[in-house]
């Protein structure tokens, strides 16, 4: 028996090591080495064995990265080596003065520096004892931080166990926890879809995700980590000579080290590095707010010492603020594809972070009120990365006597249709739908796009030409265009005109899913369109569906259900659909779903929500299995949900399930229930 346990233990150790290597390849090297399904299989195997032998679960097992029961409060951790701050410089002259100080104090002609990005995230310290991650803490006041070990364990870029021979007895790795820009965008989209508050920037999102008493929430968010140094380092292998050797040492231990880190000599090279990194800033996958220069030699660092709370041997060279003050000349209202009315600030031109800005978004009427913005005010404008510049705040002291409040129009400025605001929404929308000229071009473009009706050759210029010449107003008009009308257009060759006519003709043969997607119903993307087509089988039954019917469809919550009902209740939209059918658009339909015989319905009355990727079946397959037994699968978690089935990378539904205390099952748990 002991022997058997030993064999299992060895197998588990090997399995964990293989899984962590894949985590490293995926999260640190951005170079996945096996298909997701294979990774899931390994992970599932580990979970199953650990489930059978709970006494063999270790704190460093990858299965422990999913979070732990919520804490009541964070406890405190004292940093034996304080986590200091950095001196700042903005001007070139300050950098020159820094380099002069270094040369003079060290009595050398030229200083070697380690150069690094200044990550815009949250500083943490990770303590490893004999290679095992024991504690992780926030910076706090630099001397005492909060114990966020459970949360840090969920970040896959952070090793739970180090492999080296010999292992350092104690190693405190210092670095920054970040949320990548791409993950930040995804998270905010999710928050939007769930009607929850969006985060202002990746830093806030990372902070909000990391400082959670419930580490299950941290686990559901995608965070990453970059190392930039060490605190305590006990062991013969810890480099004692140069900072860049410490960074290489950390990289070899599988800590993420930014590829932008380097070593340079002299002042000119510092300035060069600053400009190089600055020019890459918008393209980097993570936010930075400057660069950091550190004297590379540790002996020289020691000689230079500290002033108050910052090392004398390091300097943060910050990028210029991406903010500027200018006059708000006027507020225009723009109409987007989905009819959203967006107030846009017309600004007196101003340079923000090196770019001239003349327009900035004001988001919506609530934001204007909340920020107390009036026309002719002096406003603070911010530009972050490549996103649209925004008006952040108003300089009240400078408000002129002719300042004018702004009223959101109650009619669409383009088509004159009513502009309404749905109860849970911040935006006002034109209800003109496909009949609003502002929305026409965009709607037609979307209708013709590759994943919708796939009309080849119908590009932006041609659509604009057709709409501007009043030749088409709705997608249905496309099917009434003749060869002569098209070839009569400026710059249109006979051959291309006949190609387009043929492409339009060809598009008539389509699928219900494509057609639903092509309609451009708000919040109905390609995947949702497919689900709707699968569930309802015919356009008529979809058009008759009410909010409750729609919420029966996989992944459809109240927001999507409402916008679908709204779309089909708009007479203009129904008319366009009628015309499209009349023009000969066709697809295969099937009758509505029928129920299964009643005596198998062991899950009758039970409500399920699916989230994340299941290892061995698609969510659709899971849904079918549940529905076969009479269970109901809905799109969002509420107190009425009985089970949440969570796969890998679950969304915010997982957080909600934790919050409501709803039973969470993995795929294996679901299968058990089904049997
Ligand atoms: S070194 C003793 N390196 O900046 C020096 N800090 O203002 C300790 N930071 O709280 C810091 N990137 O969170 C260092 N490459 C980098 C950094 C960095 C970002 C943050 C760090 C610290 C703050 C200091």
């Amino acid at each position: 028996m002991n022997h058997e346990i030993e064999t299992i233990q060895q197998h588990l150790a090997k399995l964990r090591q293989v899984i962590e290597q894949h985590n490293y390849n995926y999260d640190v090297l951005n170079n996945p080495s096996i298909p997701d399904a294979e990774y899931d299989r390994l992970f599932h195997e580990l979970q199953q064995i650990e489930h059978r032998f709970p006494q063999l679960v270790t704190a460093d097992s990858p299965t422990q990265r999913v979070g732990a029961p919520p804490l009541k409060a964070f406890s405190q951790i004292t940093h034996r080596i304080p986590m200091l701050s950095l001196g700042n410089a903005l001007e070139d002259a300050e950098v020159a003065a820094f380099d002069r100080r270094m040369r003079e104090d060290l009595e050398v002609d030229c200083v070697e520096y380690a150069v690094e990005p200044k990550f815009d995230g949250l500083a943490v310290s990770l303590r490893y004892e004999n290679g095992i991650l024991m504690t992780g803490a926030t910076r706090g006041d630099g001397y005492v931080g909060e114990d966020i070990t459970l949360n840090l364990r969920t970040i896959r870029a952070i090793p739970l166990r180090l492999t080296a021979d010999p292992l350092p007895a104690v190693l405190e790795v210092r670095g920054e926890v970040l949320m990548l820009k791409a993950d930040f965008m995804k998270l905010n989209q999710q928050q939007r879809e769930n009607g929850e508050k969006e985060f202002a920037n990746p830093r806030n999102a990372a902070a909000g995700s990391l400082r959670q008493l419930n580490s299950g929430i941290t686990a559901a968010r995608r965070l990453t980590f970059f190392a930039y140094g060490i605190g305590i380092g006990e062991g013969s292998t810890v480099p004692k000579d140069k900072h860049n050797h410490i960074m290489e040492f950390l990289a070899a231990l599988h800590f993420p080290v930014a590829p932008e880190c380097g070593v340079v000599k002299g002042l000119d090279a510092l300035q060069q590095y600053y400009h190089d990194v600055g020019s890459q800033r918008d393209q980097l996958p993570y936010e930075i707010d400057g660069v950091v220069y550190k004297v590379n030699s540790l002996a020289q660092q020691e000689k230079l010492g500290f002033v108050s709370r910052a090392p004398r041997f390091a300097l943060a060279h910050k990028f210029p603020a991406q903010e500027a003050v200018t006059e708000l000349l006027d507020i225009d209202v723009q109409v987007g594809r989905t009819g959203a009315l967006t107030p846009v600030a017309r600004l007196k031109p101003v340079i923000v972070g090196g770019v001239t800005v003349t327009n900035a978004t004001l988001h919506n009427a609530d934001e204007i009120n909340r920020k107390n913005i009036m026309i002719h005010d002096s406003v603070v404008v911010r530009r972050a990365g490549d996103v649209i510049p925004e008006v952040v705040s108003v300089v009240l002291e400078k408000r002129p006597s002719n300042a004018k409040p702004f009223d959101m129009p109650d009619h669409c400025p383009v088509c004159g249709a009513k502009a309404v605001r749905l109860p849970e929404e911040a935006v006002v929308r034109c209800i003109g739908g496909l009949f609003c000229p502002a929305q026409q071009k965009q709607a037609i473009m979307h209708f013709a796009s590759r994943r919708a009706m796939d009309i080849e050759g119908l590009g932006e210029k041609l659509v604009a030409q057709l709409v501007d010449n009043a030749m088409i107003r709705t997608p249905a008009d496309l099917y009434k265009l003749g060869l002569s009308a098209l070839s009569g257009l400026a710059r249109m060759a006979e051959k291309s005109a006949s190609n387009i006519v043929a492409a339009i003709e060809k598009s008539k043969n389509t699928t219900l899913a494509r057609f639903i997607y092509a309609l451009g119903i708000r919040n109905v993307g390609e995947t949702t369109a497919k689900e709707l087509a699968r569930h309802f089988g015919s356009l008529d039954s979809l058009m008759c569906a009410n909010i409750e019917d729609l919420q029966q469809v996989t992944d459809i919550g109240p927001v999507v259900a409402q916008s679908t009902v709204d779309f089909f209740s708009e007479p203009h939209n129904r008319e366009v659909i009628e015309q499209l059918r009349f023009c000969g658009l066709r697809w295969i339909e099937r009758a509505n779903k029928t129920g299964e015989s009643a005596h198998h319905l062991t899950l009758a009355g039970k409500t399920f929500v699916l989230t994340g990727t299941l290892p061995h079946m698609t969510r659709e397959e899971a849904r079918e299995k549940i529905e076969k037994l009479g269970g109901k699968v809905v799109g969002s978690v509420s107190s009425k949900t009985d089970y949440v089935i969570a796969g890998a990378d679950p969304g915010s539904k997982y957080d909600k399930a934790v919050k409501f205390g709803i039973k969470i099952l993995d795929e294996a748990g679901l299968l058990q229930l089904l049997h």
Side-chain angles (χ1 to χ4, degrees), residues 638-652:
S638 72
S639 55
K640 292 191 200 102
T641 310
D642 295 293
Y643 297 97
V644 168
I645 312 298
D649 284 336
S652 58

Side-chain angles (χ1 to χ4, degrees), residues 197-258:
K197 202 174 147 280
E198 292 180 47
F199 294 97
N201 52 46
R203 207 197 102 84
N204 285 6
S209 307
L210 197 57
R211 293 200 61 257
Q212 287 280 351
L213 290 168
N214 179 352
S215 52
I217 297 180
T218 315
R221 306 269 172 84
R222 265 211 165 272
L223 295 171
T224 192
F225 172 77
F226 280 106
Y228 57 63
I230 60 172
I232 300 173
E234 286 170 14
S236 58
T237 51
V238 183
K240 304 278 188 298
D241 57 344
K242 292 190 174 193
H243 179 77
N244 73 307
H245 292 153
I246 294 180
M247 299 307 285
E248 284 163 15
F249 169 73
L250 292 177
L253 287 174
H254 285 188
F255 288 97
V257 170

Side-chain angles (χ1 to χ4, degrees), residues 84-86 116-119 122-123 139 176 228 292 294 311 313:
L84 300 174
S85 54
L86 289 168
E116 296 169 358
K118 184 168 191 312
F119 307 103
L122 274 97
R139 176 168 177 269
E176 202 93 343
Y228 57 63
V292 183
K294 300 172 182 173
F313 56 79

Side-chain angles (χ1 to χ4, degrees), residues 96-106 304 312 315:
F98 166 75
D99 178 61
R100 192 177 331 111
R101 267 198 316 276
M102 298 300 105
R103 281 184 286 115
E104 285 172 5
D105 290 2
L106 296 169
L304 288 157
R312 289 186 74 233
L315 183 74

Side-chain angles (χ1 to χ4, degrees), residues 420-497:
V420 297
R421 182 174 169 174
L422 296 177
E424 301 107 79
E425 282 200 338
V427 286
V428 174
R429 285 176 200 277
C430 158
I431 59 159
L434 296 177
F435 267 71
C436 171
Q439 294 172 65
Q440 277 169 10
K441 288 181 195 169
Q442 308 252 36
I444 294 168
M445 291 282 300
H446 172 77
F447 182 85
S449 64
R450 199 166 55 80
R451 292 166 182 281
M453 302 306 288
D454 193 18
I455 305 179
E456 224 182 296
L458 197 74
E460 190 177 341
K461 285 213 181 91
L462 180 55
V463 171
Q465 221 176 346
L466 291 167
V467 174
D468 292 342
N469 286 334
M471 292 167 73
I472 57 172
R473 282 193 313 152
T474 76
D477 296 337
L478 284 172
Y479 296 91
K480 299 170 197 159
L481 280 174
L483 187 60
S484 56
L486 273 170
S487 49
L489 283 170
R491 294 184 303 280
M492 174 65 78
E494 183 91 14
K495 180 84 177 100
S496 4

